Amino acid sequence: MPIAAVLHSFAYSLDYLREQVATLSPAQMVTPTQAVRNHPAWTIGHLTLTCQMIGATIGVEPWLPEDWMARFGTGSVPGSDLAQYPSKPHALAMLKEAQDRITTAVRRLDAAALDAAFPDPSYHEVFPTILHALTQVLVAHTAYHVAQLALWRKAMALPPMKRSFE
């Protein structure tokens, strides 16, 4: 998959996320459902953190507060206390900054950098190369969480989006 297609899918998914949360109230942003525990505030923070994590493999310096790994990393538990999370406008701005940082860094990579072995050998089965890692994280992982928001909206009995995620 050419890297331009990866970045296109990544942007498309994040645009769909933004549409899904556009009209949500602050309380809705932190409301878990029985069907989907990952509410919008956690999902936005998690995807922002994921950008920093994959960015580390391509030379992007960390920029998020140190506590983001504990709050939004794998295994963290979404809470319903609004004070735990940035406001929706701030969270979305942080996600946009993360998207811009990753997109800029990825566009600078040449074919040799994309074909380089993923730096952590324990991940080689899943991520044999940097391109594999970027594709998995920016396309599949992002789409997975964006689709969870669609299921979350349904569980919240919110109206469907005007366009599908297809």
Side-chain angles (χ1 to χ4, degrees):
M1 174 180 273
I3 200 64
V6 169
L7 293 174
H8 174 82
S9 292
F10 180 54
Y12 188 87
S13 291
L14 292 181
D15 286 346
Y16 191 63
L17 176 147
R18 291 178 188 101
E19 288 176 31
Q20 290 188 90
V21 304
T23 61
L24 298 181
S25 71
Q28 287 173 316
M29 290 290 291
V30 296
T31 301
T33 68
Q34 289 223 317
V36 181
R37 178 179 71 163
N38 296 343
H39 55 58
W42 183 89
T43 300
I44 293 168
H46 178 70
L47 290 174
T48 302
L49 174 64
T50 300
C51 287
Q52 179 171 281
M53 292 170 66
I54 194 65
T57 67
I58 58 172
V60 177
E61 292 293 322
W63 69 91
L64 294 172
E66 289 184 24
D67 69 340
W68 273 52
M69 182 61 79
R71 290 168 59 200
F72 300 109
T74 301
S76 63
V77 178
S80 58
D81 180 2
L82 195 56
Q84 280 182 261
Y85 300 96
S87 69
K88 182 172 69 172
H90 185 63
L92 289 171
M94 292 178 80
L95 179 61
K96 178 67 172 131
E97 177 185 358
Q99 178 184 0
D100 291 346
R101 285 174 183 258
I102 290 304
T103 299
T104 298
V106 168
R107 284 186 177 141
R108 290 184 182 141
L109 299 176
D110 61 16
L114 291 169
D115 289 337
F118 190 75
D120 185 342
S122 66
Y123 284 93
H124 281 181
E125 184 176 326
V126 180
F127 305 148
T129 67
I130 294 295
L131 179 57
H132 286 90
L134 290 169
T135 302
Q136 179 66 27
V137 172
L138 299 182
V139 177
H141 179 261
T142 300
Y144 173 81
H145 285 290
V146 171
Q148 278 186 331
L149 285 183
L151 294 172
W152 176 90
R153 286 182 61 87
K154 186 174 183 176
M156 291 285 290
L158 295 171
M161 301 306 299
K162 293 181 180 178
R163 71 169 167 109
S164 72
F165 185 53
E166 301 170 347

